[in-house]
């Protein structure tokens, strides 16, 4: 074994190329691991896409397929081909509340054809509904376009009529209304031996005026198919699939700025080795989003390309939407609030399923894919409409039309308080708020709450977990009226409406009323025996009434209740008098007593200094005998620890370091053993060992991101002469750090990487040790080989000499 190892080492140090190969493999392996672990993103990314429960749109007695959905305002019309009552025809399901409910299926028209009817619906701003479809006419041996119109929101429909378009063949109609209630019909028609796109206009839905073919087919284009149109005011945007001379398919774009009267030149927006087919278009913030099928990699994938400035310039390279290797079909696209939603169906799990992916224009990135249909049966051919901030997707599923809408709403929790019932004042120095979690399809993930004196404030920072049902408030409470604001947050990151719970707190007694007398000023004798008094106080809503009393020669506690702000006495004899008044709040708590002294007697009577000294003494004795009582709760809270941040932890922090104070509750300072503290970008358990002493927590080196901070205190308690050690419950908080943007991207990137090095100290050490070995062995391999051989030779001589001495 020794000889074998010696041979390997000799080979290693003798030949430089052997060292280069081995160390190259070593360096590649080490740096691959280091790069993967150092440069990986360890922050968990949540998927904020949420969907409500799916529901059936078509009636059970209709076998439905081939759907198309259209909307205008809160009116949604879903048209589809179906069979019901033994007859084939065109059917529709209509919603008037933005897709929350759909009326039972209505029959638009009876239509029998040996080709798919492919119905297409349109809704006008005035409420007209038009459905157009195709049918094969046996007598003409060709396809024709038909339509039916409802002027009463789908209650009745006109008889189906063939639209006279004067082509050899018309098929696959697309119907749209503009903002003038004018109906536009786009359709395929024969243009010699090729298929072209045509446009017709109708103001009454009955008579159509055709504008002829939309484009001139040249020798390099054999046909135009499957247009997707989006209408925005007087602007029309259209993308279609063009058949090239080599029979490949590419996508083309053109637009109109005058209600379709004139169109721009066609512009090719895709170019790839494979085919690009089945386009769908949507507009969001003046950017056009086109999704389509592409088979550059043999399988059909969904891709997206964007046109800025309403299609003025298009991206050079499309973005791949789905990451699956399964075939994807029938893309659809719509706007969901501030994002764009892309839908399709694929066969990644055997049967077909509807999938969706949300694209954020702000972040210019897709979020994770999510399965939309979640059905036992095959689901295909999705279509999507946008209603306000929501998207509603429809699809075919085993002879019925199904739908599901994006989750953009969360119910508010039901809030109550036993310590502070609504409409009642409380003298407790704490508030306990409770609530019942609301039901939600995406699940409640937390709550945002805050107390202040703003009646309609909306908190935006989530500060409680999903299992929280109670919050105790004992700090920063003040007398008077304040509001407890709370709202729920669901799994789709939707905030519910805010519950503004009114708190009426009487923690401290009211101040004493201000008393005046227009008839008897203080310190001046007045001959009249009918004094009049009035008083006032600023705490109007908290005041229940007043107690007052009139006494001679000594101050008396108020004993007469009134809701008035004044009183008059009559028939008083000459002498020294005291008028006492105190406010009573709605918890029957008495305020400080205000005493007003006055004299009835001859106006010539002189008041000496002894009179004022006697008044002061009487006032002092009265206040000592009748102190203002304050409600104080016995502190029965368990030992606890909190962190006092020098900033609001619910707000964004914009610095790299801070110093915070660790405070304890109901723990004697001499009993504190130490603290266990952690700060990390992920929440974890607070360690069960003391790793911090002192009440000051200093944090440095913060970068952009969210940080979780936890602390618990270890303290000692002497019980029957025996010292026992305990830990408080952990105190945890989350802070958001957003540093000002770095001007230099190179400095920013380098700083981000260097911030990760301390957390990968072991890997960095291995890396640099390995680099040192590489440099040493590759640069000084010959010398190392010589001295190693010399060392081995001397060791062999020593072994032989020791053997001879032993003999």
């Amino acid at each position: 074994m020794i000889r074998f190892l010696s041979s390997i080492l000799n080979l290693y140090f003798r030949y430089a190329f052997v060292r280069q190969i081995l160390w190259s493999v070593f360096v590649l392996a080490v740096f691959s691991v280091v790069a993967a672990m150092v440069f990986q993103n360890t922050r968990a990314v949540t998927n904020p896409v949420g969907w409500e429960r799916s529901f059936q749109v078509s009636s059970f007695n209709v076998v439905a397929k081939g759907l198309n959905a259209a909307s205008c305002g809160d009116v949604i019309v879903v048209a589809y081909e179906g069979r019901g009552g033994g007859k084939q025809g065109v059917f529709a399901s209509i919603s008037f509340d933005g897709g929350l409910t759909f009326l039972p299926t209505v029959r638009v028209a009876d239509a029998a054809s040996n080709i798919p009817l492919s119905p297409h619906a349109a809704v006008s701003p005035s409420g007209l509904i038009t459905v157009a479809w195709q049918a094969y006419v046996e007598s003409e041996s060709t396809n024709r376009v038909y339509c039916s119109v409802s002027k009463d929101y789908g209650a009745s429909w006109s008889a189906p009529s063939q639209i006279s378009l004067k082509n050899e063949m018309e098929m696959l109609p697309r119907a749209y209304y503009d903002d003038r209630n004018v109906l536009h019909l786009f359709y395929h028609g024969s243009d010699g031996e090729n298929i072209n796109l045509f446009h017709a206009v109708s103001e009454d839905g009955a008579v159509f005026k055709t504008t002829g073919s939309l484009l001139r087919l040249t020798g390099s284009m054999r046909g135009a198919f499957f247009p997707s149109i989006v209408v925005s005011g007087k602007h029309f945007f259209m993308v279609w699939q063009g058949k090239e001379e080599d029979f490949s398919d590419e996508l083309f774009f053109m637009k109109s700025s005058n209600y379709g009267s004139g169109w721009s030149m066609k512009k090719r927006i895709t170019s790839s080795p494979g085919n690009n087919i089945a386009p769908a278009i949507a507009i969001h913030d003046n950017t056009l989003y086109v999704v389509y099928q592409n088979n550059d990699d043999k399988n059909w994938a969904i891709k997206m390309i964007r046109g800025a400035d309403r299609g003025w310039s298009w991206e050079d390279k499309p973005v791949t939407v789905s990451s699956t290797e399964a075939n994807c079909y029938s893309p659809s696209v719509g706007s969901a609030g501030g994002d764009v939603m892309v839908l399709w169906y694929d066969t990644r799990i055997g049967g077909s399923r509807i999938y969706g992916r949300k694209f954020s224009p702000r972040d210019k990135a897709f979020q994770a894919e999510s399965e939309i249909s979640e059905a036992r049966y095959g689901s295909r051919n999705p279509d999507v409409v946008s209603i306000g901030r929501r998207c509603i997707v429809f699809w075919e599923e085993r002879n019925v039309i199904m739908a599901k809408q994006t989750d953009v709403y969360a119910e508010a929790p039901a809030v109550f308080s036993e310590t502070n019932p609504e409409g009642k004042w409380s003298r407790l120095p704490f508030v306990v708020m409770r609530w019942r979690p609301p039901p939600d399809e995406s699940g409640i993930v937390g709550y945002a709450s805050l107390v202040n004196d703003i009646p309609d404030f909306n908190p935006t920072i989530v500060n409680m977990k999903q299992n929280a049902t109670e919050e105790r408030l004992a700090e920063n409470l003040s007398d008077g009226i304040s509001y407890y604001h709370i709202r729920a947050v669901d799994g789709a990151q939707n905030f519910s409406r805010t519950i503004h719970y009114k708190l009426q707190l009487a923690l401290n007694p009211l101040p004493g009323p201000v008393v005046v007398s227009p008839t008897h000023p203080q310190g001046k004798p007045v001959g009249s025996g009918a004094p009049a008094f009035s008083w006032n106080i600023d705490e109007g809503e908290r005041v229940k009434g007043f107690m007052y009393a009139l006494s001679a020669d000594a101050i008396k506690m108020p004993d007469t209740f009134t809701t008035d702000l004044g009183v008059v006495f009559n028939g008083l004899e000459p002498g020294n008098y005291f008028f006492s008044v105190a406010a009573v709040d709605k918890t029957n708590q008495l305020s400080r007593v205000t005493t007003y002294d006055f004299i009835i007697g001859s106006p010539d009577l002189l008041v000496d200094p002894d009179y004022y000294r006697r008044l002061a003494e009487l006032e002092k004795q009265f206040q000592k005998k009748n102190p203002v009582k304050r409600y104080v709760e016995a502190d029965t809270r368990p030992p606890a620890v909190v962190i006092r941040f020098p900033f609001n932890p619910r707000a964004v922090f914009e610095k790299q370091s801070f110093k915070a104070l660790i405070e304890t509750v109901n723990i004697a300072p001499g009993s504190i053993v130490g603290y266990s503290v952690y700060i990390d970008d992920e929440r974890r358990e607070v360690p069960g060992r003391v790793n911090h002493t002192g009440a000051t927590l200093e944090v440095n080196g913060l970068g952009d991101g969210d940080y979780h901070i936890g602390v618990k205190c270890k303290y000692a308690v002497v019980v029957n002469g025996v010292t026992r050690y305990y830990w408080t419950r952990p105190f945890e908080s989350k802070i958001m750090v957003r540093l000002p943007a770095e001007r230099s991207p190179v400095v920013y990137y380098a700083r981000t990487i260097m911030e990760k090095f301390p957390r990968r100290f072991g890997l960095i050490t291995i890396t640099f040790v390995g680099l040192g070995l590489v440099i040493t062995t590759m640069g000084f391999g010959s010398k190392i080989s010589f001295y190693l051989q010399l060392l081995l030779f001397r060791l062999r001589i020593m072994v032989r000499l020791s053997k001879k001495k032993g003999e």
Side-chain angles (χ1 to χ4, degrees):
M1 179 62 71
I2 297 176
R3 183 173 297 177
F4 176 73
L5 293 175
S6 177
S7 301
I8 293 178
L9 290 174
N10 184 43
L11 184 66
Y12 173 82
F13 286 107
R14 178 174 295 180
Y15 301 104
F17 74 91
V18 175
R19 296 195 301 274
Q20 292 175 350
I21 292 174
L22 292 178
W23 282 108
S24 297
V25 173
F26 172 79
V27 170
L28 179 62
V30 171
F31 270 100
S32 297
V33 174
V34 171
M37 299 188 71
V38 172
F39 295 97
Q40 69 178 341
N41 184 5
T42 59
R43 195 175 304 281
V45 179
T46 59
N47 179 17
V49 180
W51 294 85
E52 300 285 359
R53 182 180 290 111
S54 59
F55 57 93
Q56 185 170 328
V57 174
S58 61
S59 298
F60 287 97
N61 59 347
V62 176
V63 177
K65 63 179 181 179
L67 72 96
N68 169 258
S71 66
C72 183
D74 287 333
V75 179
I76 301 176
V77 177
V78 183
Y80 42 89
E81 176 184 353
R83 178 173 291 275
K87 293 183 179 180
Q88 184 182 5
V90 177
F91 297 83
S93 296
I94 304 175
S95 172
F96 298 104
D97 54 9
L100 298 179
T101 59
F102 279 83
L103 298 177
T105 297
V106 296
R107 183 186 294 270
V108 176
D110 292 330
S113 177
N114 56 5
I115 64 171
L117 298 177
S118 301
H120 199 277
V123 184
S124 75
S126 64
L128 296 176
I129 301 176
T130 295
V131 177
W133 65 93
Q134 67 176 6
Y136 183 77
V137 180
E138 296 284 351
S139 60
E140 301 183 36
S141 300
T142 189
N143 297 336
R144 295 301 180 194
V145 173
Y146 295 80
C147 77
S148 183
V149 181
S150 174
K151 299 181 179 179
D152 51 12
Y153 295 99
S156 62
W157 295 83
S158 64
S161 60
Q162 179 183 331
I163 302 176
S164 177
L165 299 172
K166 300 178 181 180
N167 290 98
E168 295 181 6
M169 177 269 295
E170 302 101 14
M171 64 180 184
L172 299 175
R174 308 283 196 269
Y176 301 91
Y177 276 102
D178 62 27
D179 56 5
R180 305 170 303 174
N181 296 303
V182 174
L183 179 62
H184 297 261
L185 186 71
F186 298 86
Y187 60 96
H188 298 73
S190 59
D191 188 3
E193 297 181 355
N194 298 323
I195 300 297
N196 206 337
L197 299 178
F198 291 82
H199 178 211
V201 179
S202 174
E203 294 185 359
D204 57 3
V207 179
F208 285 81
K209 178 182 179 182
T210 181
T211 61
S213 60
L214 292 177
L215 54 111
R216 185 170 62 89
L217 296 177
T218 61
S220 62
M221 181 177 291
R222 296 179 177 271
F225 309 92
F226 311 118
S228 179
I229 299 109
V230 61
V231 178
S232 177
K234 65 180 180 180
H235 300 278
F236 290 13
F237 307 95
M238 181 168 66
V239 174
W240 77 93
Q241 172 186 331
K243 182 71 71 174
E244 296 284 90
E245 189 175 9
D246 59 355
F247 293 98
S248 65
D249 293 288
E250 297 292 347
L251 301 185
F252 296 83
F253 167 77
M254 64 184 186
K255 61 182 178 180
S256 171
S257 300
N258 53 7
Y259 294 103
S261 297
W263 293 82
S264 66
M265 297 293 292
K266 68 177 184 295
K267 182 175 183 178
R268 181 171 170 173
I269 62 175
T270 61
S271 180
S272 65
N275 293 304
N276 301 288
I277 65 172
I281 187 173
I283 185 171
H284 178 77
D285 288 343
N286 289 327
T287 298
L288 297 176
Y289 294 84
V290 176
V291 295
Y292 57 95
Q293 292 178 215
N294 172 271
N295 66 349
D296 287 351
D297 299 323
K298 306 308 179 184
N299 65 300
W300 286 109
I302 305 299
K303 294 195 174 182
M304 182 180 75
I305 190 168
R306 290 169 290 178
D309 297 330
R310 296 191 167 212
W312 178 259
S313 62
W314 292 83
E315 294 176 319
D316 295 330
K317 299 180 70 174
V319 180
T320 300
V321 177
S322 177
S323 59
T324 181
E325 295 182 358
N327 284 318
C328 303
Y329 307 98
S330 189
S332 184
V333 61
S335 175
D339 299 316
V340 175
M341 184 69 70
V342 181
L343 289 308
W344 71 93
Y345 79 90
D346 61 48
T347 57
R348 70 182 70 180
I349 57 174
S352 56
R353 296 286 190 272
I354 308 297
Y355 289 86
R357 199 168 188 189
K358 200 173 185 180
F359 180 81
S360 172
R362 181 183 62 254
D363 301 332
K364 297 182 180 179
F366 277 104
Q367 296 174 357
E369 299 178 24
S370 58
E371 182 182 344
I372 307 301
S373 53
E374 300 176 334
R376 296 178 298 168
Y377 313 112
S379 306
R380 57 184 66 234
N381 300 332
D383 196 9
V384 62
V385 296
S386 300
I387 302 293
R389 295 174 52 235
R390 294 182 296 117
C391 271
I392 305 179
V393 57
F394 305 88
W395 69 87
E396 302 172 23
E397 182 180 304
R398 201 181 185 185
N399 298 328
V400 297
I401 306 300
M402 300 294 294
K404 180 179 284 191
Q405 58 182 320
T406 50
D407 184 4
V408 298
Y409 178 76
E411 290 281 353
V415 183
F416 58 96
S417 175
E418 296 175 354
T419 59
N420 298 74
E422 283 191 284
K424 295 185 178 181
W425 288 80
S426 173
R427 293 168 60 180
L428 296 176
F430 63 92
V431 174
V432 178
M433 300 301 305
R434 293 190 173 93
W435 57 87
R436 288 187 291 271
D440 192 88
E441 294 289 338
S442 300
I444 299 299
V445 298
Y447 301 90
S449 69
L450 190 69
V451 176
N452 60 25
D453 57 356
I454 304 175
D456 55 354
F457 183 82
N458 293 315
T460 58
I461 304 299
V462 178
N463 56 350
M464 284 182 289
K465 301 176 183 179
Q466 68 272 18
N467 57 354
T469 58
E470 177 182 309
E471 184 175 11
R472 180 187 173 98
L473 308 169
E475 299 180 1
N476 301 323
L477 297 177
S478 58
D479 288 309
I481 295 176
S482 58
Y483 297 88
Y484 178 76
H485 313 282
I486 184 171
R487 59 201 306 203
V489 185
D490 67 9
Q493 301 301 303
N494 299 309
F495 282 81
S496 74
R497 66 181 178 87
T498 304
I499 299 297
H500 308 287
Y501 192 95
K502 187 177 181 179
L503 301 176
Q504 297 170 281
L505 302 176
L507 305 180
N508 301 301
L510 289 167
V514 177
V515 181
V516 296
S517 175
T519 60
H520 290 66
Q522 286 182 291
K524 293 183 179 180
V526 177
S528 172
F533 301 96
S534 62
W535 55 86
N536 202 352
I537 193 171
D538 292 334
E539 304 283 343
E541 190 169 352
R542 182 180 162 188
V543 174
K544 177 181 180 180
F546 302 90
M547 300 289 290
Y548 69 89
L550 180 66
S551 59
D553 298 328
I555 303 175
K556 181 182 177 182
M557 194 67 184
D559 55 5
T560 302
F561 180 79
T562 183
T563 57
D564 297 330
L565 294 176
V567 66
V568 177
F569 298 94
N570 294 298
L572 298 183
E573 299 292 333
N576 297 330
Y577 290 88
F578 298 92
F579 177 72
S580 304
V581 63
V584 182
D585 66 18
K586 292 179 180 178
T587 66
N588 295 325
Q589 185 177 203
L590 202 65
S591 75
R592 184 183 183 90
V593 178
T594 299
T595 302
Y596 189 97
D597 60 280
F598 63 98
I599 304 172
I600 297 179
S602 173
D604 298 332
L605 181 66
L606 295 178
V607 180
D608 57 13
D610 290 338
Y611 171 77
Y612 292 104
R613 282 194 293 268
R614 189 170 67 87
L615 287 180
E617 185 63 28
L618 288 173
E619 178 73 20
K620 182 178 179 181
Q621 291 178 2
F622 177 81
Q623 296 296 345
K624 185 176 181 180
K625 184 178 179 181
N626 302 282
V628 178
K629 297 180 179 180
R630 299 175 184 269
Y631 184 91
V632 179
E633 180 199 26
D635 197 348
T636 59
R637 291 174 292 174
V641 63
V642 295
I643 299 177
R644 301 298 183 196
F645 293 96
F647 54 89
N648 183 3
R650 300 179 182 178
V652 175
F653 186 59
E654 298 181 345
K655 296 181 181 180
Q656 292 182 310
S657 61
F658 65 85
K659 289 183 179 181
L661 184 65
I662 302 177
E663 291 185 357
T664 58
V665 178
N666 280 352
I667 301 177
S671 301
I672 297 175
V673 178
Y675 307 93
S676 176
V677 181
Y678 87 91
I679 177 170
D680 202 348
D681 55 359
E682 294 182 356
R683 185 183 178 277
R684 56 187 177 87
E685 296 292 332
V686 181
R689 65 183 184 278
V690 174
N691 58 15
H692 184 82
T693 58
T696 301
L697 177 63
E698 185 172 355
V699 179
N700 297 297
L702 296 174
D704 281 341
D706 297 342
Y707 291 89
H708 295 265
I709 301 176
V711 61
K712 61 183 181 181
C713 175
K714 186 175 184 179
Y715 62 98
V717 177
V718 178
V719 180
N720 297 327
V722 179
T723 302
R724 301 181 185 274
Y725 296 94
Y726 299 93
W727 287 97
T728 64
R729 294 185 62 181
F731 171 85
E732 295 177 291
S733 183
K734 180 181 177 182
I735 62 174
M736 298 176 295
V737 179
R738 301 292 184 269
L739 300 178
E742 174 60 56
R743 292 180 179 272
S744 171
V746 177
V747 174
Y748 175 78
Y749 183 75
R751 179 181 297 169
T752 303
I753 298 303
M754 292 303 295
E755 287 174 352
K756 296 185 177 183
F757 280 179
R759 298 196 296 270
R760 292 6 182 235
F761 181 76
L763 294 173
I764 303 302
T765 303
I766 294 174
T767 303
F768 283 102
V769 170
L771 288 176
L773 291 174
V774 170
I775 296 172
T776 303
T777 56
M778 295 184 68
F780 302 95
S782 299
K783 291 185 179 181
I784 294 176
S785 176
F786 171 77
Y787 286 112
L788 183 60
Q789 294 292 339
L790 180 60
L791 177 62
L792 292 175
F793 173 75
R794 290 182 176 179
L795 288 175
R796 285 195 293 268
I797 294 297
M798 293 175 63
V799 170
R800 290 176 183 176
L801 290 175
S802 62
K803 287 182 179 181
K804 288 183 178 182
K805 288 182 179 180
E807 294 176 355

